[in-house]
Amino acid sequence: MTFSVLLTVVRLCHYLQDPHLVARFQNICGVRGTFTTTGSSKVADRAHSHNNGACHHHVAGEDDRENLSSVGAGEGEIISKVKPLRKNSLTGDDGQEFLIDNRFLYYLFTFGTELGNETFYITFFPFITWNVDAFISRRLIMVWVWVMYLGQCTKDVLGWSRPASPPVVKVEVFYNSEYSMPSTHAMSGTAIPFALYFMTYGRWEYPSTLGFILALCWCLLVCSSRIYMGMHSVLDVIAGFLYSILILCFFLPILDLIDGFNLTCRYAPIIIISLHLGLGLFSFTLDTWSTSRGDTAQILGTGAGIALASHVNYHLGLMPDLTPDQLPLSMPALSPSLVAVVMLRLVVGVLVLLATRAVMKAITIPLVCRVFRVPTDDLRKARQHMEVELPYRYIVYGTVGFNVVFLVPLLFSYMQLS
């Protein structure tokens, strides 16, 4: 009986990993590949061009219905010819054009997948730090760092490729050269909302049912978006979700211990820097160079910078945590002045972070290349050296993380925006 159960599980895994399952989901959602049939190519040729992610539409008429039916579109439907919004991060390939006949789902899942990209992280975490709750933010970032690190390392150990195309339509190609199992988007899309829910439960006053529903919707949107984008099989996404839940079950109970150590231990700065750097070095030994190596170093650098700044703030008496008698917190009443202050903090803070990243990048890459005698004629090739990519990402994003918690709040105090 044990063997039959195991055989059933293996068959289920093979089914969930089948790229045709992804293709069917895409078809249901209105995504059509131009590689499928000659008819679909004719429709692609009749569609208007796509520039920088903007969809230009072709309305189906009498002469087009035969061709539209070949790609699954019906009479009178609107067909949009688009290309992936970003080029492949490793090869520079801009992907193949495809057709969509459900613009709402296209934009919805594009938004969902952006909830796991750098643009979201560089705005969401600072927003929580500056405008909501710095205590929650620094702990949430700790969870995010471990979830993403373990997910990236597991990808490199397993080495599973992305779903095959065809039959899958590559709506996104930016991460297409990286490995697939598990989906780190699904992992972050599970860990962030549910960790946020459990950390704020009892600390903030809000309907717990509503909070759980929002966390679940966030999770489902991110997970399903990775299948829609053609980046992951259903098995990758399910594994990412379960893996993230497992990590949360382990880390949430010990967050008090880790956070207390980072804030109070006199040797915490040395341990924080060496631990995150050591983890980065380990990840670079798992496989040949790819953008996931840089992403891992970037995540570790951000986590180290946040932890160091929190330690400094604690010992300088800056941004002190609330005492138990000040809890629970309630949402303030929205007013034009409050919204204006919140938006001003976000804009000023993000501009400082972007400037920090640009300046540190301009300084660090040439400096590291000079130290390790790596030619700088082609920066893409130069960054494929571990001795360049690891310190560059670690230093640049460590500084960005440090400024999120230390420099920007000081600037807000000076500008009377605290």
Side-chain angles (χ1 to χ4, degrees):
M1 181 171 179
T2 304
F3 178 76
S4 64
V5 171
L6 181 61
L7 186 61
T8 302
V9 171
V10 170
R11 286 175 178 171
L12 178 61
C13 289
H14 279 297
Y15 171 74
L16 295 175
Q17 196 182 8
D18 187 354
H20 289 89
L21 191 61
V22 177
R24 284 198 292 272
F25 178 78
Q26 290 181 312
N27 190 270
I28 291 171
C29 295
V31 179
R32 326 289 177 194
T34 56
F35 49 73
T36 52
T37 64
T38 304
S40 65
S41 297
K42 291 178 181 177
V43 175
D45 293 336
R46 287 186 173 90
H48 289 236
S49 62
H50 167 266
N51 296 310
N52 298 326
C55 298
H56 300 270
H57 304 106
H58 171 76
V59 181
E62 290 291 336
D63 296 335
D64 299 325
R65 286 170 192 164
E66 181 180 351
N67 287 333
L68 287 175
S69 64
S70 69
V71 291
E75 180 178 335
E77 289 190 21
I78 295 177
I79 299 297
S80 303
K81 178 184 177 184
V82 298
K83 291 194 74 172
L85 297 178
R86 295 187 293 172
K87 296 181 179 181
N88 185 290
S89 58
L90 181 61
T91 65
D93 176 36
D94 57 359
Q96 186 176 15
E97 292 175 330
F98 54 91
L99 307 171
I100 58 169
D101 57 35
N102 191 319
R103 284 181 289 159
F104 171 75
L105 290 181
Y106 174 72
Y107 292 121
L108 176 67
F109 287 125
T110 298
F111 171 75
T113 206
E114 285 301 319
L115 294 178
N117 291 338
E118 181 184 354
T119 303
F120 169 72
Y121 296 138
I122 206 169
T123 53
F124 175 74
F125 289 131
F127 179 84
I128 298 296
T129 302
W130 304 330
N131 294 306
V132 182
D133 194 334
F135 173 86
I136 294 295
S137 178
R138 72 167 184 263
R139 293 184 171 212
L140 187 62
I141 290 170
M142 280 193 284
V143 171
W144 170 72
V145 168
W146 280 104
V147 164
M148 293 298 290
Y149 177 76
L150 292 173
Q152 293 282 22
C153 288
T154 304
K155 273 187 179 182
D156 295 332
V157 170
L158 295 177
W160 289 14
S161 59
R162 300 279 184 181
S165 174
V168 172
V169 180
K170 295 296 181 179
V171 180
E172 176 189 296
V173 296
F174 186 75
Y175 296 106
N176 198 44
S177 297
E178 298 180 10
Y179 294 129
S180 183
M181 167 64 89
S183 167
T184 47
H185 269 77
M187 291 182 70
S188 67
T190 301
I192 291 176
F194 282 108
L196 190 61
Y197 168 73
F198 287 115
M199 289 178 191
T200 55
Y201 182 76
R203 181 178 174 87
W204 282 82
E205 292 181 336
Y206 64 87
S208 61
T209 303
L210 176 62
F212 183 82
I213 291 173
L214 290 176
L216 183 61
C217 290
W218 181 338
C219 175
L220 291 175
L221 177 60
V222 176
C223 290
S224 55
S225 74
R226 302 313 287 162
I227 303 173
Y228 179 91
M229 293 290 165
M231 285 289 95
H232 288 285
S233 68
V234 177
L235 183 63
D236 297 337
V237 170
I238 293 174
F241 170 79
L242 295 176
Y243 195 11
S244 189
I245 294 296
L246 180 64
I247 295 171
L248 287 179
C249 290
F250 176 78
F251 273 101
L252 287 180
I254 62 173
L255 272 181
D256 284 337
L257 182 64
I258 298 174
D259 192 35
F261 173 84
N262 287 345
L263 295 179
T264 61
C265 180
R266 60 184 300 185
Y267 302 110
I270 298 174
I271 295 174
I272 289 169
I273 293 173
S274 58
L275 175 63
H276 288 77
L277 189 58
L279 291 172
L281 286 169
F282 173 75
S283 71
F284 270 74
T285 65
L286 294 177
D287 194 61
T288 55
W289 186 90
S290 78
T291 50
S292 65
R293 305 286 84 64
D295 291 342
T296 302
Q298 180 174 313
I299 291 163
L300 291 169
T302 302
I306 295 286
L308 281 175
S310 299
H311 180 86
V312 171
N313 282 347
Y314 177 82
H315 286 278
L316 294 180
L318 304 174
M319 296 180 67
D321 292 335
L322 298 176
T323 57
D325 60 294
Q326 295 175 292
L327 302 176
L329 301 171
S330 57
M331 293 293 295
L334 286 179
S335 65
S337 60
L338 177 62
V339 173
V341 170
V342 166
M343 295 307 299
L344 186 58
R345 284 179 191 157
L346 183 62
V347 171
V348 170
V350 169
L351 287 177
V352 171
L353 298 185
L354 293 176
T356 300
R357 185 177 66 175
V359 171
M360 292 302 298
K361 184 177 180 178
I363 294 173
T364 306
I365 294 180
L367 179 61
V368 172
C369 287
R370 179 174 297 182
V371 169
F372 292 100
R373 299 183 179 181
V374 176
T376 57
D377 326 359
D378 189 336
L379 287 180
R380 181 184 290 270
K381 288 185 177 179
R383 285 175 51 186
Q384 292 182 18
H385 293 80
M386 180 193 75
E387 57 270 25
V388 174
E389 184 76 341
L390 177 58
Y392 148 62
R393 296 273 191 152
Y394 190 85
I395 293 171
V396 170
Y397 286 91
T399 307
V400 169
F402 188 89
N403 285 350
V404 168
V405 178
F406 182 76
L407 179 63
V408 173
L410 280 182
L411 179 62
F412 289 161
S413 298
Y414 177 77
M415 297 176 63
Q416 297 184 346
L417 290 174
S418 297

